[in-house]
Amino acid sequence: MSPSPPASGVTFYVSPQGRDTSTGASATPGKANGPFATPQRARDAVRALKSSGKLHGPVTVYFRGGRYELSKPLTFTPDDSATADAPITWAAYRKETPVFSGGRVLSGWKHGDGPLWTVTLPDVKTGRLAFHELFVDGLRRTRARFPNAGFLTTEGMVTTGDPARFTYRNVDLKPEWADAGVEVVSYAKWAGFRMPLRAVDPATHTATLSRKVFEHIREENQRYFLENVPGGVDSPGEWRLDKATGVLTYYPMPYEEMASAQVIAPALTQLVRLEGDPANGRPVSHLRFKGITFAHTDWAMAPEGYVDDQAAADIPAAFSANGAEECALEQCRFIHLGQYAVEFIERCKRNRIVGCELADLGAGGVKIGAMKVHPAEERTSHNVISDNHIHDLGHTYPTGIGVWVGESSDNQVTHNHIHDTWYSAISVGWTWGYGPSGAGGNLIEYNDCHDLGRGLLSDMGGIYTLGAQPGTIIRNNVFHDINSYDYGGWGIYPDEGSAGLLIENNLVYNTKSGGFHQHYGRDNVVRNNIFALAWGKQGQLIRTRREDHLSFTMEGNIVYWKDGPLLGSNWEGDDTFKLDRNLYWKVGAQPVEPAGMSLDAWRERGHDTHSVVADPLFR
């Protein structure tokens, strides 16, 4: 339902058929008082009204259906702020669908060799336009890739030198591909890299990249593929842009008619920016966006390439806010984007992202907070991410997270449906180990997260946490069907000093690795959860590091499984954990042998004294 402005409020209208010389007072184009044509004109009209002192009530800006092509990001500053009594709402008109697009519609296609079509783009040749994404009739298409499916593998490991090198197999690479715009894309463990191919030596089968890689982004026989390969447009849905000539080549799908197809190339990496000045007490505040679609952004890469540290947390978003307070995104769509969809980074408080769809994204869905710890009064906090549908993530940066919360406190991540990711659905906290953390008091509840990882990366979870998080609660969530490439397709994963967590009433099932894994942490409470049917032989509940303090207490849980041990990895010796009042059942009434010993011997160590072995009678 589109909001109706109060009788005392001010209303403006915008339409793709409007004119910026009109007054914006009417929804009907073609009249002097008709709608504006651009969002910028509407923003400036509200800004002028406010600066004149004539703004005394709410303002609603209605957008008629259609595509609004942005030439630069739509930016809001403290001068565009509203108040709680007189908010400013940017909304879809009735049941129409306005689209804020960062793309350009490409026309003038010509039939070339065989099945290929081409169009010459002068702005590309002159450097005014460059893009890495292409959308045809609302679907993302594949940048020329070799091989078309699957991966090549290195011989051994990528070197740690600067620049990095690797030994390629067979005749996978060609010398003429070096410095021809070809990019090497590789995944290892929980991260990956993308960088230009600089040299190919056929005599030694050595490929030279453009910079060094991190130690943790190295594996034996590492997977990689090549993108933007000359002559690589050899499969339906593939395309390549030649920046030197400005020629875009595309291989249409069998059902596509290029004479009528809508082909959009993104020209912007961001669509909307909220740029507050909270250090001087001037946030952007009380702006509300409702029912608007944000689409068609690109991704950018430095000349030396990109190496991911983790979670693509340094990748920007199409809708970006710093110093925003009491702002809201409601029933909006974020689709066909090259990076993250939404981010509220520095000093953002009491904002809401509710009822939105975020799909077909180059990286992840939502980012809240920064990667460094701020004093409490300066920290991003008390934001709500609720009832959103977040799916189909990580097309360019597969480590993108559905909802990422950094050094940010007292946020609510609730009732979201997150699925079809290459990495974790939710990640909270960004302090490795027991150092200072700003991520306490977050509430993660009633989220449904599934089909995660999908066999591409390792070391992930339905929810992944880092660092001390006193007061953070993870409850009433469902995490299922989590599949890693190698190790670590866990359900609930407190990593690297996670401390002070309450983990309760969650359902975790069909995970490649254990339903629960704590690498190391302190004083976490894990109670009343169901952990069921982890696939691997490592164990259902995993603990990695021995420590000299209480790691966690596990009580009232049901653990139900078919194969492998109950407890995996390191449960020996120290007994700095507590397990009791749990129910264990290994299908077929198989014996339960915690940590490789009988249950009686385990109880003599002081664990599971009141636990039972019984069929939970699941249906």
Side-chain angles (χ1 to χ4, degrees), residues 231-266:
V233 184
D234 56 6
S235 181
E238 282 193 306
W239 64 274
R240 185 178 188 272
L241 179 64
D242 188 325
K243 294 183 179 180
T245 64
V247 174
L248 171 63
T249 303
Y250 178 59
Y251 190 145
M253 301 296 286
Y255 51 81
E256 289 173 346
E257 296 290 342
M258 295 307 294
S260 58
Q262 184 190 61
V263 182
I264 295 180

Short mmCIF file of all heavy atoms in Angstrom, two decimals, residues 231-266:
data_model
loop_
_atom_site.label_atom_id
_atom_site.label_comp_id
_atom_site.label_asym_id
_atom_site.label_seq_id
_atom_site.Cartn_x
_atom_site.Cartn_y
_atom_site.Cartn_z
N GLY A 231 37.94 -13.69 -28.01
CA GLY A 231 37.43 -14.87 -28.70
C GLY A 231 36.64 -15.79 -27.81
O GLY A 231 36.29 -16.91 -28.22
N GLY A 232 36.33 -15.35 -26.59
CA GLY A 232 35.65 -16.22 -25.63
C GLY A 232 34.15 -16.20 -25.70
O GLY A 232 33.49 -16.88 -24.92
N VAL A 233 33.58 -15.43 -26.62
CA VAL A 233 32.11 -15.39 -26.74
C VAL A 233 31.72 -16.57 -27.63
O VAL A 233 31.51 -16.44 -28.84
CB VAL A 233 31.64 -14.05 -27.33
CG1 VAL A 233 30.12 -14.00 -27.37
CG2 VAL A 233 32.19 -12.88 -26.52
N ASP A 234 31.63 -17.74 -27.01
CA ASP A 234 31.40 -18.96 -27.78
C ASP A 234 30.26 -19.80 -27.23
O ASP A 234 30.11 -20.96 -27.57
CB ASP A 234 32.68 -19.81 -27.82
CG ASP A 234 33.20 -20.14 -26.43
OD1 ASP A 234 32.53 -19.81 -25.43
OD2 ASP A 234 34.30 -20.72 -26.34
N SER A 235 29.43 -19.19 -26.38
CA SER A 235 28.32 -19.92 -25.78
C SER A 235 27.15 -18.96 -25.59
O SER A 235 27.36 -17.77 -25.29
CB SER A 235 28.76 -20.51 -24.44
OG SER A 235 27.71 -21.24 -23.84
N PRO A 236 25.90 -19.43 -25.77
CA PRO A 236 24.75 -18.53 -25.60
C PRO A 236 24.77 -17.85 -24.23
O PRO A 236 25.05 -18.48 -23.21
CB PRO A 236 23.56 -19.47 -25.74
CG PRO A 236 24.04 -20.57 -26.61
CD PRO A 236 25.49 -20.77 -26.21
N GLY A 237 24.50 -16.56 -24.24
CA GLY A 237 24.48 -15.78 -23.01
C GLY A 237 25.80 -15.11 -22.68
O GLY A 237 25.88 -14.35 -21.72
N GLU A 238 26.85 -15.34 -23.46
CA GLU A 238 28.15 -14.73 -23.19
C GLU A 238 28.31 -13.42 -23.95
O GLU A 238 27.74 -13.24 -25.02
CB GLU A 238 29.29 -15.67 -23.57
CG GLU A 238 29.56 -16.77 -22.56
CD GLU A 238 30.87 -17.47 -22.81
OE1 GLU A 238 31.07 -17.96 -23.95
OE2 GLU A 238 31.71 -17.55 -21.89
N TRP A 239 29.15 -12.54 -23.41
CA TRP A 239 29.42 -11.25 -24.05
C TRP A 239 30.85 -10.81 -23.71
O TRP A 239 31.45 -11.26 -22.75
CB TRP A 239 28.42 -10.20 -23.58
CG TRP A 239 28.51 -9.89 -22.10
CD1 TRP A 239 27.89 -10.55 -21.09
CD2 TRP A 239 29.27 -8.84 -21.49
NE1 TRP A 239 28.23 -10.01 -19.88
CE2 TRP A 239 29.06 -8.95 -20.09
CE3 TRP A 239 30.10 -7.83 -21.97
CZ2 TRP A 239 29.65 -8.07 -19.18
CZ3 TRP A 239 30.70 -6.96 -21.06
CH2 TRP A 239 30.45 -7.09 -19.69
N ARG A 240 31.36 -9.89 -24.53
CA ARG A 240 32.67 -9.29 -24.27
C ARG A 240 32.71 -7.88 -24.80
O ARG A 240 32.20 -7.59 -25.89
CB ARG A 240 33.80 -10.10 -24.91
CG ARG A 240 35.19 -9.56 -24.54
CD ARG A 240 36.32 -10.39 -25.12
NE ARG A 240 37.61 -9.96 -24.59
CZ ARG A 240 38.35 -8.99 -25.13
NH1 ARG A 240 37.94 -8.37 -26.24
NH2 ARG A 240 39.50 -8.64 -24.58
N LEU A 241 33.32 -7.00 -24.02
CA LEU A 241 33.50 -5.61 -24.40
C LEU A 241 34.97 -5.37 -24.72
O LEU A 241 35.85 -5.62 -23.89
CB LEU A 241 33.06 -4.69 -23.27
CG LEU A 241 33.21 -3.18 -23.51
CD1 LEU A 241 32.32 -2.73 -24.66
CD2 LEU A 241 32.89 -2.40 -22.24
N ASP A 242 35.25 -4.89 -25.92
CA ASP A 242 36.61 -4.52 -26.33
C ASP A 242 36.76 -3.01 -26.09
O ASP A 242 36.22 -2.19 -26.84
CB ASP A 242 36.83 -4.86 -27.80
CG ASP A 242 38.28 -4.67 -28.23
OD1 ASP A 242 38.93 -3.74 -27.72
OD2 ASP A 242 38.74 -5.46 -29.08
N LYS A 243 37.48 -2.66 -25.05
CA LYS A 243 37.59 -1.24 -24.70
C LYS A 243 38.37 -0.44 -25.74
O LYS A 243 38.13 0.77 -25.90
CB LYS A 243 38.25 -1.10 -23.33
CG LYS A 243 37.41 -1.65 -22.19
CD LYS A 243 38.09 -1.42 -20.85
CE LYS A 243 37.26 -1.96 -19.70
NZ LYS A 243 37.91 -1.76 -18.39
N ALA A 244 39.26 -1.08 -26.44
CA ALA A 244 40.06 -0.36 -27.43
C ALA A 244 39.23 0.07 -28.62
O ALA A 244 39.39 1.17 -29.16
CB ALA A 244 41.24 -1.22 -27.88
N THR A 245 38.32 -0.80 -29.06
CA THR A 245 37.50 -0.50 -30.24
C THR A 245 36.10 -0.02 -29.91
O THR A 245 35.40 0.52 -30.77
CB THR A 245 37.38 -1.74 -31.13
OG1 THR A 245 36.68 -2.77 -30.40
CG2 THR A 245 38.76 -2.26 -31.53
N GLY A 246 35.68 -0.24 -28.65
CA GLY A 246 34.31 0.11 -28.27
C GLY A 246 33.27 -0.87 -28.75
O GLY A 246 32.07 -0.58 -28.69
N VAL A 247 33.69 -2.05 -29.21
CA VAL A 247 32.75 -3.03 -29.76
C VAL A 247 32.31 -4.00 -28.66
O VAL A 247 33.16 -4.62 -27.99
CB VAL A 247 33.38 -3.81 -30.93
CG1 VAL A 247 32.44 -4.93 -31.38
CG2 VAL A 247 33.66 -2.86 -32.09
N LEU A 248 31.01 -4.12 -28.49
CA LEU A 248 30.41 -5.09 -27.59
C LEU A 248 29.89 -6.25 -28.42
O LEU A 248 29.11 -6.05 -29.35
CB LEU A 248 29.27 -4.46 -26.79
CG LEU A 248 28.40 -5.39 -25.95
CD1 LEU A 248 29.22 -6.06 -24.85
CD2 LEU A 248 27.23 -4.61 -25.34
N THR A 249 30.32 -7.46 -28.08
CA THR A 249 29.90 -8.67 -28.80
C THR A 249 29.05 -9.52 -27.87
O THR A 249 29.41 -9.74 -26.70
CB THR A 249 31.12 -9.48 -29.26
OG1 THR A 249 31.94 -8.65 -30.07
CG2 THR A 249 30.68 -10.70 -30.06
N TYR A 250 27.93 -10.04 -28.40
CA TYR A 250 27.00 -10.83 -27.58
C TYR A 250 26.51 -12.03 -28.37
O TYR A 250 26.24 -11.94 -29.58
CB TYR A 250 25.82 -9.97 -27.14
CG TYR A 250 24.79 -10.72 -26.33
CD1 TYR A 250 25.13 -11.34 -25.13
CD2 TYR A 250 23.46 -10.81 -26.76
CE1 TYR A 250 24.19 -12.04 -24.39
CE2 TYR A 250 22.52 -11.49 -26.02
CZ TYR A 250 22.89 -12.11 -24.84
OH TYR A 250 21.94 -12.81 -24.11
N TYR A 251 26.40 -13.15 -27.68
CA TYR A 251 25.87 -14.40 -28.25
C TYR A 251 24.49 -14.59 -27.64
O TYR A 251 24.37 -15.02 -26.49
CB TYR A 251 26.80 -15.56 -27.88
CG TYR A 251 26.56 -16.88 -28.56
CD1 TYR A 251 27.62 -17.71 -28.87
CD2 TYR A 251 25.28 -17.34 -28.86
CE1 TYR A 251 27.44 -18.95 -29.48
CE2 TYR A 251 25.07 -18.56 -29.47
CZ TYR A 251 26.15 -19.36 -29.77
OH TYR A 251 25.96 -20.59 -30.36
N PRO A 252 23.42 -14.30 -28.36
CA PRO A 252 22.07 -14.34 -27.76
C PRO A 252 21.66 -15.75 -27.36
O PRO A 252 22.11 -16.76 -27.93
CB PRO A 252 21.17 -13.81 -28.87
CG PRO A 252 22.08 -13.12 -29.83
CD PRO A 252 23.39 -13.85 -29.75
N MET A 253 20.78 -15.81 -26.38
CA MET A 253 20.11 -17.07 -26.05
C MET A 253 19.18 -17.43 -27.21
O MET A 253 18.74 -16.54 -27.97
CB MET A 253 19.33 -16.93 -24.76
CG MET A 253 20.17 -16.53 -23.56
SD MET A 253 21.41 -17.76 -23.11
CE MET A 253 20.38 -19.01 -22.37
N PRO A 254 18.84 -18.70 -27.38
CA PRO A 254 18.04 -19.11 -28.54
C PRO A 254 16.70 -18.39 -28.65
O PRO A 254 16.18 -18.20 -29.75
CB PRO A 254 17.84 -20.62 -28.30
CG PRO A 254 18.98 -21.03 -27.46
CD PRO A 254 19.28 -19.86 -26.57
N TYR A 255 16.14 -17.98 -27.53
CA TYR A 255 14.82 -17.36 -27.53
C TYR A 255 14.86 -15.84 -27.61
O TYR A 255 13.82 -15.19 -27.63
CB TYR A 255 14.05 -17.77 -26.28
CG TYR A 255 14.81 -17.55 -24.98
CD1 TYR A 255 14.88 -16.30 -24.38
CD2 TYR A 255 15.49 -18.60 -24.38
CE1 TYR A 255 15.58 -16.10 -23.22
CE2 TYR A 255 16.20 -18.42 -23.20
CZ TYR A 255 16.24 -17.17 -22.63
OH TYR A 255 16.95 -16.97 -21.47
N GLU A 256 16.05 -15.24 -27.67
CA GLU A 256 16.15 -13.78 -27.66
C GLU A 256 16.12 -13.21 -29.07
O GLU A 256 16.79 -13.73 -29.98
CB GLU A 256 17.44 -13.34 -26.95
CG GLU A 256 17.39 -13.57 -25.45
CD GLU A 256 18.72 -13.29 -24.77
OE1 GLU A 256 19.75 -13.19 -25.46
OE2 GLU A 256 18.73 -13.20 -23.53
N GLU A 257 15.38 -12.14 -29.24
CA GLU A 257 15.33 -11.39 -30.49
C GLU A 257 16.03 -10.05 -30.27
O GLU A 257 15.51 -9.18 -29.56
CB GLU A 257 13.88 -11.17 -30.92
CG GLU A 257 13.10 -12.43 -31.24
CD GLU A 257 13.58 -13.09 -32.53
OE1 GLU A 257 14.25 -12.40 -33.33
OE2 GLU A 257 13.30 -14.29 -32.73
N MET A 258 17.20 -9.89 -30.85
CA MET A 258 17.99 -8.70 -30.57
C MET A 258 17.34 -7.42 -31.08
O MET A 258 17.65 -6.33 -30.58
CB MET A 258 19.40 -8.85 -31.14
CG MET A 258 20.21 -9.96 -30.49
SD MET A 258 20.27 -9.83 -28.69
CE MET A 258 21.20 -8.31 -28.49
N ALA A 259 16.46 -7.55 -32.04
CA ALA A 259 15.78 -6.35 -32.55
C ALA A 259 14.86 -5.74 -31.51
O ALA A 259 14.60 -4.53 -31.52
CB ALA A 259 15.00 -6.70 -33.82
N SER A 260 14.36 -6.59 -30.59
CA SER A 260 13.41 -6.10 -29.60
C SER A 260 13.90 -6.24 -28.17
O SER A 260 13.25 -5.75 -27.24
CB SER A 260 12.08 -6.84 -29.75
OG SER A 260 12.27 -8.24 -29.61
N ALA A 261 15.02 -6.92 -27.95
CA ALA A 261 15.51 -7.16 -26.59
C ALA A 261 15.94 -5.85 -25.94
O ALA A 261 16.49 -4.96 -26.60
CB ALA A 261 16.68 -8.14 -26.62
N GLN A 262 15.68 -5.74 -24.63
CA GLN A 262 16.18 -4.61 -23.86
C GLN A 262 17.53 -5.00 -23.26
O GLN A 262 17.62 -5.88 -22.41
CB GLN A 262 15.23 -4.20 -22.74
CG GLN A 262 15.71 -2.94 -22.00
CD GLN A 262 14.91 -2.65 -20.74
OE1 GLN A 262 14.88 -3.45 -19.82
NE2 GLN A 262 14.26 -1.50 -20.71
N VAL A 263 18.58 -4.35 -23.73
CA VAL A 263 19.93 -4.64 -23.25
C VAL A 263 20.40 -3.43 -22.45
O VAL A 263 20.44 -2.31 -22.96
CB VAL A 263 20.89 -4.92 -24.42
CG1 VAL A 263 22.29 -5.25 -23.89
CG2 VAL A 263 20.36 -6.05 -25.28
N ILE A 264 20.77 -3.67 -21.19
CA ILE A 264 21.18 -2.59 -20.30
C ILE A 264 22.58 -2.85 -19.79
O ILE A 264 22.88 -3.94 -19.28
CB ILE A 264 20.21 -2.44 -19.12
CG1 ILE A 264 18.83 -2.01 -19.63
CG2 ILE A 264 20.74 -1.43 -18.11
CD1 ILE A 264 17.79 -1.83 -18.54
N ALA A 265 23.45 -1.86 -19.94
CA ALA A 265 24.81 -1.91 -19.39
C ALA A 265 24.91 -0.87 -18.27
O ALA A 265 24.54 0.29 -18.47
CB ALA A 265 25.83 -1.60 -20.47
N PRO A 266 25.36 -1.26 -17.08
CA PRO A 266 25.44 -0.29 -15.99
C PRO A 266 26.56 0.71 -16.20
O PRO A 266 27.65 0.36 -16.64
CB PRO A 266 25.69 -1.17 -14.76
CG PRO A 266 26.34 -2.39 -15.30
CD PRO A 266 25.76 -2.61 -16.67
#
